[in-house]
């Protein structure tokens, strides 16, 4: 059965290497990466994705050269200003997760306007992670709890989570989480691809989702007895 309300998370990695390999400045890689995000958001609803959480800027990315950080902040503001009318027309609800207190005013305003204007959209929920750290998010959620025994559900509310991540995709060839959605990915299927993010598109997302749908998610249980091959039965008695 095709599950049509998937939460897909994407670590959009490889912009810099893509640009460098072409002899271009890294900032142009980020610019091309913004176009890739636009393509993927457009394609995602028809592929059964109802929530897309995309890692745009990590809390550790502040350690990059100032020039690159400035280019990224500028690009994110431009992207949100430019995309908000289209998101509204296409039914994309925007949320931004991560810290807000270190972002420049123009970006903050673009986030505020984008979130406010698209609040009622229901086709897909785009959650953009900016100045995000999963460890910080978990710490903050723990600190905001008043005391006593906390349930998993209450903690997840504090984390601001909708659904757990079903599929985590990382482009760019690295196979690590880089402090992204550590709690939310507890049972996520992981999919790593060497495709650099600026080259990623609808076909790549379709491929990842096709693979995802072939996997058996067990959540710690045993496979369905009806689906188990007879050759395995004798080991069970
Ligand atoms: C991902 O691409 C975008 C951000 C982290 C902001 P990178 O900039 O990390 O690109 P590579 O990994 O250096 O190629
Ligand atoms: C993770 O990528 C952050 C984003 C994609 C926004 P990085 O390129 O910063 O991660 P590392 O340094 O390779 O782990
Ligand atoms: Mg990288």
């Amino acid at each position: 059965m095709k599950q049509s309300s998937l939460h897909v998370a994407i670590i959009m990695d490889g912009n810099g290497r893509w640009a460098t390999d072409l002899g271009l400045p890294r900032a142009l890689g980020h610019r091309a990466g913004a176009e890739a995000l636009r393509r993927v958001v457009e394609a995602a609803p028809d592929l059964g994705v109802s929530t897309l959480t995309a890692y745009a800027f990590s809390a550790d990315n502040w350690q990059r050269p100032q020039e690159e950080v400035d280019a990224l902040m500028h690009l994110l503001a431009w992207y949100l200003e430019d995309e908000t009318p289209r998101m509204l027309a296409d039914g994309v609800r925007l949320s931004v997760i991560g810290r807000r207190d270190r972002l420049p005013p123009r970006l903050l305003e673009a986030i505020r306007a984008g979130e406010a204007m698209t609040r009622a959209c229901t086709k897909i929920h785009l959650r953009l992670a900016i100045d995000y750290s999963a460890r910080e998010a978990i710490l903050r959620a723990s600190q905001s709890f008043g005391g006593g025994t906390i349930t998993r559900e209450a903690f997840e509310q504090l984390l601001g989570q909708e659904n757990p991540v079903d599929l985590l995709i990382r482009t760019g060839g690295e196979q690590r989480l880089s402090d992204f959605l550590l709690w939310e990915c507890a049972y996520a299927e992981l999919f790593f691809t060497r495709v650099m993010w600026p080259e990623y598109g609808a076909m790549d997302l379709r491929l990842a989702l096709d693979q995802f749908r072939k996997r058996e998610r067990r959540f710690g249980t045993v496979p369905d007895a009806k689906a188990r091959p007879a050759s395995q039965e004798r080991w069970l008695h």
Side-chain angles (χ1 to χ4, degrees):
M1 190 185 70
K2 183 173 166 178
Q3 190 186 342
S4 61
S5 56
L6 294 173
H7 183 178
V8 172
I10 306 190
I11 301 178
M12 308 184 287
D13 196 24
N15 295 350
R17 280 165 287 158
W18 177 83
T20 304
D21 286 351
L22 292 173
L24 300 169
R26 289 177 61 88
L28 284 188
H30 297 311
R31 173 85 195 230
E35 300 298 332
L37 179 60
R38 198 195 308 268
R39 291 195 293 273
V40 166
V41 173
E42 201 181 332
D46 288 343
L47 296 172
V49 179
S50 58
T51 304
L52 185 73
T53 306
Y55 207 1
F57 189 90
S58 77
D60 288 322
N61 288 151
W62 292 113
Q63 298 167 58
R64 293 188 176 200
Q66 192 60 43
E67 194 185 312
E68 180 164 349
V69 169
D70 290 345
L72 281 162
M73 291 297 132
H74 177 80
L75 185 67
L76 284 165
W78 167 82
Y79 179 84
L80 292 179
E81 287 162 4
D82 201 52
E83 273 307 286
T84 295
R86 194 193 309 243
M87 289 195 279
L88 191 57
D90 291 351
V92 180
R93 175 178 154 217
L94 171 79
S95 303
V96 172
I97 59 171
R99 276 177 70 164
R100 301 263 170 121
D101 58 311
R102 299 189 285 198
L103 303 181
R106 181 177 156 208
L107 176 54
L108 275 177
E109 176 51 26
I111 293 171
R112 192 204 58 73
E115 287 183 336
M117 284 174 72
T118 63
R119 184 168 293 140
C121 293
T122 55
K123 196 165 174 197
I124 185 169
H125 187 188
L126 171 64
R127 304 194 322 151
L128 212 51
I130 302 177
D131 194 2
Y132 176 84
S133 152
R135 288 170 299 178
E136 268 186 36
I138 291 167
L139 268 178
R140 237 178 302 121
S142 328
Q143 286 157 358
S144 68
F145 180 65
T149 308
I150 189 163
T151 62
R152 185 190 290 181
E153 290 73 21
F155 189 74
E156 286 174 351
Q157 283 299 318
L158 291 173
L159 265 183
Q161 176 184 345
E162 299 206 323
N163 294 311
V165 174
D166 295 299
L167 170 65
L168 174 102
I169 299 168
R170 181 170 186 145
T171 63
E174 311 294 357
Q175 302 190 8
R176 52 178 172 256
L177 294 177
S178 302
D179 206 6
F180 192 42
L181 302 175
L182 299 181
W183 176 287
E184 294 86 339
C185 283
Y187 272 101
E189 296 294 327
L190 308 180
F191 185 88
F192 299 104
T193 169
R194 297 165 97 88
V195 176
M196 296 290 152
W197 177 249
E199 299 200 323
Y200 202 82
M203 289 304 292
D204 300 287
L205 181 61
R206 181 187 296 275
L207 182 88
L209 285 161
D210 283 349
Q211 287 221 10
F212 167 81
R213 290 190 169 104
K214 285 184 195 139
R215 294 189 192 176
E216 183 186 43
R217 303 182 79 192
R218 289 195 288 276
F219 299 98
T221 68
V222 290
D224 180 358
K226 289 194 289 295
R228 195 186 301 132
S231 60
Q232 286 180 12
E233 289 294 330
R234 64 201 160 104
W235 300 108
L236 300 174
H237 302 291

